[in-house]
Amino acid sequence: MTTTRRHGRAVAALVATMALALASCSSPQDAPQTPDPVTVGPTIAPDKAAAPVPVVPPVWPLTGVAGEPAARPSLAVKIENTAVARPQTGLEQADVVWETIVEFDVSRLIAVYHSQVPGEVGPIRSVRPMDPVILAPLHGLLAFSGGQPGILDLVAASGVQMISHDAGAPGMYRARDRAAPHNVYGTPTTFWGVADAAHQAPPGEQFTFARSADRAAAVVGGTPAGTLAFRLSPASSPTWSWDAGTGTWLRSEGSTPATARSGARLSAVNVVSITADHPATGFGAQGGAAVPTYSLVGSGDGVVASGGKTIPVRWQKDSQDAPMRLFTATGAPADLAPGNTWVELVPAGTGSLTVS
């Protein structure tokens, strides 16, 4: 072996020895490091439950007032509103009252009960052609004194259960302190007691209600008002005045405060004005006077008054069986304040509402 080869092997051995020495002397900082894991967010336990759905308390369907609705149908009663019929009995306990104009420009009321049970109601009078289109969505009971055969047929076809004094229905009687025909009165508990199997269910919501008075459409987006002066006919000019102390509109017949027979002032949390055509029908009254009705299937203008404010609305009713809906100018539902409601049906072209 030559000297050169021996020298090369020696150098190689020396290099290997030095590499081993350097490896053994390396510090921990010189060793390859494992990267830290990247944190992307909090860890969610696989058994974590979803947030609970908010519990919405039940409300009475015709008033929007919180409470557990009773399992009974709505009860509508035809109530007279002439001077000789006042003060009426039980009006202050109605959930909704519809005021209509019948023949001879007379005002007649449809009082609808569900959340309260008055001991007595009256004076009770006869049905008219506008009653079916107003009451069909409720599919409840209708108590009245009587009616013309053709009008009775319309009522029967609307799906309500008829409770007629002329037909001998229980629970109606004539009071001795009033002259006929202004003296028919009735007992609501008896009327509810004769509800048949097809008329047991509570009514559905008719108007929409805000959860609280401060969220009502008129309160949120309306204009302050103190008086609602209606001219429904030459013989009927009801007025409603805002009373901040009670948070209600107080009713007057003209300039005379309207009261129930109990002495309670008639009042409403909401007053709804509905303007609609008021055509004559083929039915006649005494002396050949035409019996009118209202064209309530379709749409038209209205006003909602709640909380001392008013807001213009559009009303819409898609069919006789459909409830009437109210909308603001933006198309949003015109929610009423929780409480009772009076609906004033204003004849288009002849009736009016003045807000001041």
Side-chain angles (χ1 to χ4, degrees), residues 77-79 108-110 123-128 131 143-144:
V77 184
K78 290 303 301 288
I79 303 292
R108 187 157 291 181
L109 309 175
I110 307 172
I124 300 173
R125 293 302 300 268
S126 54
V127 290
R128 290 295 182 272
D131 300 343
F144 56 94

Side-chain angles (χ1 to χ4, degrees), residues 188-276:
T189 53
T190 302
F191 300 155
W192 269 305
V194 300
D196 62 31
H199 296 86
Q200 294 288 332
E205 182 184 73
Q206 300 301 295
F207 299 113
T208 60
F209 290 91
R211 282 290 168 186
S212 57
D214 60 331
R215 298 180 184 179
V219 175
V220 173
T223 302
T227 303
L228 314 172
F230 287 91
R231 187 182 187 279
L232 303 181
S233 73
S236 180
S237 298
T239 300
W240 297 88
S241 302
W242 175 246
D243 180 57
T246 61
T248 63
W249 299 93
L250 303 180
R251 179 179 172 90
S252 296
E253 298 289 352
S255 59
T256 303
T259 60
R261 203 166 190 180
S262 66
R265 182 74 180 270
L266 296 182
S267 64
V269 172
N270 307 287
V271 177
V272 177
S273 172
I274 299 295
T275 299

